[in-house]
Structure formats: structure tokens, C-alpha cells
Amino acid sequence: MYSHPLKALSVACLSALLFAGWDAAAQPHESSTPFVGTWTGSIEVPGVSLRIVFGITHDAETGYASTMASPDQGAFDIPVDSVVVDDASITISIAMIGGEYSGTLSDDKNAIAGTWTQFGLPLELDLVRTEESIVPNRPQDPEPPFPYATEDVTFGSAAEGVTLAGTLSTPSEGAPSHAVVLISGSGAQDRNSTLSGHHPFFVLADYLTRKGIAVLRFDDRGVGESTGDFSVATTKDFADDVRGALDFLATHPSVGDANIGLIGHSEGGLIASMVAASSGDVDLVVLIAAPGVPGDEIILKQSRVLVEHTLRAPGSLIKEEKIEQMLDETLRTQELIFEAVKNEADNEVLADTLRSLIDKQLEKMGYLYDEAARSQMADAEIDKLISPWFRFFLTYDPRPTLSEVSTPVLAVGGSKDMQVDSSINLPAIEAALHAGGNTDVTTLELDGLNHLLQTADTGHVTEYGSIEETMAPSAMETIAAWILER
């Protein structure tokens, strides 16, 4: 689940820009405040349909207010900056995402015909009044009382000045035979690895603890109750945090003499390998959707798959030769960008080079975005590309580190993973481990699962929020059974 890598500079990736939210039930409207209530509609772009929800309220003193949601992206509770009503017209502005909605109320006051505009691109968005709750259904979210013990804990990172906060869950009866640390993927993650309304680490921790395995999950540095600065950290810094978690878990009285393991998802798999290769306290490693090749290869493959899926989606009017041209141009631009990031150490010089490359690509989209919008998009991309995290991830090759891991390893990936292609990365992981002499290696491609190990239709990132399943039970059973066999 990569949130940092460069998004393809194409209208096909428009859905990644729509990020806002709300969570409330509809309210009855009065004739004097006809816009009050819950309104829902969908934005349609090739291959993607995204529900948008506004929850509009009214106060006699302050007037109209609203919040917004994109449920299919798991985005909720982001406030709107302003709501302007003029008779039957309404304009809702959300500066945080550069978006604005303008519409006109129907005569029966149950529909709004309007347009959503973001970064200068207008899209039709008609809304209807609804009484339905917009809270996503997450049937696997654990509910108390739990048949195991939980404890909120804090511990120090191996790096100075960082204190991490998390939750340790342990079996209620008997000492655990195994104890594991859960390591999140890229982006600022809380201890539950919350994404698109899902809580994968909460679900996985609950499952494993019910099987008799103690589990420590924690907020990333600078997230939730953990201290530190996430924005300047790299994968190596996060490895220091996991070393602190490992030391804490190994000495906790509830864990005793249990075998200690690391479970890393996506970038967390890179971190798990780093720690396992340098520590004698790790007895087993589970890699979930983890990279086995350098970062630039991961991102280029990810971009091609995601963009190609969108351009070739049912209803697309783009001709085949044009699709190939767009893909080639996008990937070539990314390759030039990556070369610049690798070769230029000075951030100011690099930013100028990147702006030139990105502007050329965005200029081809001038019919979609105005100049101000293109400048805003370029600024956002440049900030990501010159960050310490991206500079490290782009060039990091996990294979030398994997070859130094001597503990038993289980590596799993979904056959429909569009972010870390299992057909490329699982063989690379297996080959690197074997090259180092590791003979206890199991690699499994899990049929029909996506990057989050959900049972998926296509595997596209826009499905994550619309799928009710948080993690396939079969995947969790595979992981638990392998651990308990060790």
C-alpha cells in the first residue's frame, strides 16, 4: 500500500485526487433550509465510479455547513470550508483538495443537478437525498469482549528521542508459544493500519491472538500516540523503531520464552528483512505483499498496471494505439524523473529539473486542467519526489539484505495485487533467500487476493474501500498455521 510513490500523471489517476469525507445519517429538511440532509452521487471516469457524499447542516446563527465523504476510498470526516446558498443554488468549497461542487436544487427538493470541479477539471455530479447511513460495513472488525488480554504499551525506538505507543494482545490462558510484531506499509499508519475504513492489523492481531499467538502492533513514529517526525524518516529509520519493538516484546513478562517473529506488510516487509538480517532475536519472518526488487522497478510496474487498467476499462473511448502511446510517454517521463532523483543530491537543483519534466507532461493535459491547477499538482509531486523517504525507497534493493536472512520465512502475495506484483516479487524474494543459504523458505501466491489480501474483483486500489472483507480468512489461516508449525 504505497502512498508516497509518484502517481502517473494522467487523467486515468484522477481518482487518487478525490480524498475527503463525512460520516452521518440524513437529517429531515425544513422548507426554509431545503439543503439540509445527506446527499449522495457518483463521479464517473473511465474504469472508476466513486461515490461522493455531502452531509449538510444548518445553524440559525452560523448558517449552512457541510462535511464530505468518498466512501469507496474509505475517506470520511473531512470538513468543508464553505457552503454558499442562493435560493435554489448551492456552492460547496473544499480548499484542502482543491475541489468545489456547484448545483441547483430540484423542484421537489430531493435532487441536486450539478458539477464537481477539481484542479480545474469539471465532472458531472448529480446528487439525490438519502436516508442511508454512510458508515462502511466492516464485518470483520473485532468487537469486545475479547477472549484474550490487551494492554496499551509504550517503548523506545532503537533511535534516540522516539517513543512508540501500541497495543499488546496476549492469550488469556497459558504462555504463548509465539509472539509477533506487526510492521505497517508505507505512509503514516496507526497501530491498526487503518486504510479505506478497514483496520487490517486489528483484524489480523485478533485472529492470531485467538490462535494463541501474542501480537504487538504500534503507531508509526509521529502518528497517534507515538512521538517523532514521520516526514523526515526513511525505511531505515522505521527499522530502528521495529528494533525497539522487538526488544520490548522479547523482554515482556507476558511473552516469556515464546519464539519471536516479524510480520511485515508491503514496505513493512522490507523493514522486517532489515531487522531479521541484523538481529539474533528473530525466530521467523512473514512477508505480506513485500517488494523483492528495487523501488524504481516496483513503481514503474505499479504505474503501468494501474493506468493501463483504467485506460482499458469498459466504456473507454481511447483507441489502442493511443493507449500504448500514453503508457509509453508516462513511463518514459517517470524514468527520466527517477534518473534525476538518483543523480542529483541538491534538492533545489533537483526541484527545478523535476518541474521541467512534470510541466511538459501536464501541458499535454491543458485541456483538462488550467495553469494554476497544473502548478499545484506539480508542487505536490515535487514535494514527494525530493523527500528523504522517496530518495531511499527508489534506489533500495532488498535482495542483498534478504540473502542475509537465515530464519524461516513465509512470503505471500495476492494474485490480483496491482501495487506489488506477486509474479515478479515472490520469485525474487525466494531466489535472494536461497542465494544466501536459507533452506526454510515458503512462497505462496494467494489466488484472487489483492494487495491488502482482500478477495477482489480486479485488484485495483479503488476497490479497497468498497470491499467489505478486510482480510481473507484463508490468508490469515495460512499465516497462523505456518507460524504455529515453527
Side-chain angles (χ1 to χ4, degrees):
M1 75 187 82
Y2 292 95
S3 60
H4 288 282
L6 178 68
K7 298 180 181 70
L9 298 172
S10 162
V11 68
C13 293
L14 172 69
S15 63
L17 304 174
L18 298 169
F19 189 81
W22 186 67
D23 172 11
Q27 304 175 34
H29 67 278
E30 302 174 4
S31 59
S32 59
T33 55
F35 287 99
V36 169
T38 302
W39 301 86
T40 183
S42 294
I43 291 173
E44 305 290 338
V45 294
V48 179
S49 178
L50 294 174
R51 288 176 296 158
I52 300 296
V53 184
F54 292 105
I56 302 175
T57 59
H58 184 273
D59 181 87
E61 295 183 0
T62 60
Y64 279 101
S66 180
T67 49
M68 178 183 165
S70 179
D72 297 322
Q73 295 176 295
F76 300 88
D77 295 326
I78 294 181
V80 165
D81 293 281
S82 67
V83 179
V84 178
V85 171
D86 182 9
D87 194 19
S89 298
I90 187 169
T91 300
I92 302 173
S93 301
I94 310 95
M96 182 179 186
I97 57 170
E100 182 178 274
Y101 178 73
S102 297
T104 303
L105 190 67
S106 64
D107 291 339
D108 66 5
K109 298 180 173 54
N110 286 319
I112 302 174
T115 301
W116 169 261
T117 304
Q118 189 168 21
F119 293 111
L121 175 64
L123 294 168
E124 181 178 323
L125 176 58
D126 295 334
L127 304 174
V128 295
R129 191 186 298 278
T130 179
E131 300 297 326
E132 296 181 9
S133 171
I134 310 302
V135 177
N137 185 28
R138 300 293 180 249
Q140 288 177 293
D141 274 359
E143 295 286 347
F146 304 120
Y148 52 80
T150 61
E151 177 186 0
D152 289 334
V153 299
T154 59
F155 53 90
S157 167
E160 293 185 5
V162 177
T163 299
L164 303 158
T167 299
L168 175 64
S169 53
T170 54
S172 295
E173 297 182 4
S177 59
H178 298 77
V180 296
V181 178
L182 302 187
I183 311 169
S184 65
S186 64
Q189 304 284 332
D190 64 19
R191 67 192 68 185
N192 295 325
S193 200
T194 301
L195 176 73
S196 296
H198 290 284
H199 308 98
F201 276 9
F202 190 11
V203 171
L204 180 58
D206 174 79
Y207 186 92
L208 295 178
T209 309
R210 290 172 186 267
K211 294 289 186 178
I213 301 168
V215 181
L216 173 63
R217 63 191 197 274
F218 62 95
D219 300 330
D220 287 350
R221 62 166 66 191
V223 178
E225 298 176 30
S226 293
T227 68
D229 188 347
F230 183 90
S231 66
V232 298
T234 70
T235 309
K236 289 180 67 176
D237 297 314
F238 301 136
D240 282 337
D241 298 343
V242 172
R243 290 186 181 96
L246 182 64
D247 290 343
F248 172 82
L249 189 62
T251 58
H252 195 278
S254 297
V255 172
D257 296 327
N259 292 314
I260 305 296
L262 303 175
I263 302 179
H265 176 258
S266 200
E267 184 196 6
L270 299 180
I271 297 166
S273 299
M274 287 180 179
V275 176
S278 62
S279 172
D281 295 327
V282 179
D283 298 307
L284 58 93
V285 174
V286 178
L287 306 177
I288 301 173
V293 297
D296 57 349
E297 294 183 34
I298 293 287
I299 302 170
L300 287 170
K301 177 64 175 178
Q302 179 185 117
S303 296
R304 181 173 185 89
V305 171
L306 292 175
V307 177
E308 186 173 19
H309 171 84
T310 303
L311 294 178
R312 290 200 166 96
S316 174
L317 300 178
I318 305 174
K319 295 181 179 179
E320 182 62 28
E321 59 268 23
K322 185 63 175 177
I323 290 176
E324 288 300 325
Q325 180 185 347
M326 293 173 69
L327 285 170
D328 290 344
E329 289 179 355
T330 298
L331 296 177
R332 179 54 183 158
T333 298
Q334 285 194 328
E335 289 172 350
L336 293 173
I337 286 172
F338 294 168
E339 287 179 23
V341 173
K342 292 175 185 178
N343 296 323
E344 181 53 67
D346 187 298
N347 275 352
E348 291 187 8
V349 175
L350 176 60
D352 289 340
T353 302
L354 295 175
R355 184 170 297 280
S356 176
L357 291 168
I358 294 171
D359 282 349
K360 288 179 181 178
Q361 189 74 2
L362 289 175
E363 283 172 5
K364 299 174 184 176
M365 301 168 65
Y367 67 100
L368 293 173
Y369 303 108
D370 58 29
E371 184 176 352
R374 295 198 302 269
S375 178
Q376 186 177 357
M377 293 168 72
D379 288 343
E381 290 299 334
I382 290 169
D383 286 344
K384 295 175 186 176
L385 292 166
I386 66 175
S387 70
W389 183 91
F390 190 87
R391 281 183 175 274
F392 179 89
F393 178 81
L394 188 69
T395 59
Y396 179 70
D397 185 347
R399 290 170 292 195
T401 300
L402 284 165
S403 69
E404 298 175 2
V405 176
S406 58
T407 57
V409 175
L410 168 67
V412 299
S415 66
K416 293 186 177 181
D417 189 335
M418 286 192 175
Q419 293 189 260
V420 180
D421 190 326
S422 58
S423 68
I424 295 172
N425 289 278
L426 286 178
I429 290 170
E430 183 175 36
L433 290 165
H434 285 162
N438 194 329
T439 58
D440 193 344
V441 177
T442 304
T443 58
L444 297 172
E445 183 178 70
L446 305 179
D447 187 51
L449 305 189
N450 63 16
H451 187 61
L452 304 186
L453 298 188
Q454 297 171 301
T455 304
D457 181 15
T458 67
H460 198 279
V461 296
T462 55
E463 288 183 346
Y464 295 168
S466 61
I467 298 173
E468 292 188 353
E469 179 183 79
T470 296
M471 188 175 292
S474 60
M476 292 189 286
E477 173 57 29
T478 295
I479 293 168
W482 183 87
I483 290 173
L484 293 173
E485 288 174 359
R486 293 309 169 284

